[in-house]
Amino acid sequence: QVQLAESGGGSVQAGGSLRLSCVVSGSTFAPLPMAWFRQSLGKDREFVARINRSGNLQYYSDFVNGRFTISRDNRKKTVYLEMNSLKSEDTAIYYCAAGTGAPDRSPNDYQYWGQGTQVTVSS
């Protein structure tokens, strides 16, 4: 059994920054591929970024446009999403996810999910 717990959300002004964290616990004995998704009111869950097991490969949605960085510290069993130059349209609940095999950008690729952390960007 794997549990994920996000933190670091909050309310910021447009142009500001936040760093989200996701701590992995439970029965994992080796790192899993991880991803961040987000969901706004009335919209489907949307891929943001993913990272491979070792952390040396990262992949982003086009809307990120260089503003976000996904990273991980496997010693701490934690995955991060650093967000800069935030826009009002980034407002959403942000979820971290873990998958088995070779997950990509579909929510269906991921088996484990956190409860989400709210990010609100005002202008």
Side-chain angles (χ1 to χ4, degrees):
Q1 189 176 25
V2 176
Q3 295 87 41
L4 309 179
E6 304 98 334
S7 63
S11 182
V12 298
Q13 297 284 328
S17 300
L18 284 172
R19 187 177 72 168
L20 308 183
S21 299
C22 176
V23 177
V24 181
S25 62
S27 59
T28 55
F29 301 108
L32 294 173
M34 302 286 293
W36 288 95
F37 291 80
R38 69 186 189 184
Q39 188 165 213
S40 301
L41 281 174
K43 299 179 66 177
D44 292 333
R45 194 160 296 190
E46 178 182 37
F47 172 79
V48 178
R50 69 175 176 91
I51 191 166
N52 69 342
R53 297 172 191 266
S54 68
N56 70 318
L57 295 174
Q58 309 89 42
Y59 191 88
Y60 300 93
S61 178
D62 286 344
F63 72 77
V64 169
N65 196 29
R67 299 180 299 131
F68 299 173
T69 302
I70 187 170
S71 62
R72 69 191 303 162
D73 184 339
N74 287 337
R75 181 187 62 240
K76 297 180 177 178
K77 301 184 70 174
T78 302
V79 177
Y80 304 95
L81 183 69
E82 183 175 358
M83 303 185 291
N84 302 307
S85 301
L86 284 163
K87 308 172 182 179
S88 60
E89 53 263 44
D90 295 318
T91 295
I93 300 175
Y94 283 71
Y95 299 89
C96 68
T100 59
D104 193 11
R105 59 175 58 203
S106 171
N108 294 332
D109 294 340
Y110 296 85
Q111 290 74 54
Y112 306 101
W113 293 85
Q115 67 179 23
T117 185
Q118 177 71 48
V119 171
T120 302
V121 184
S122 60
S123 61

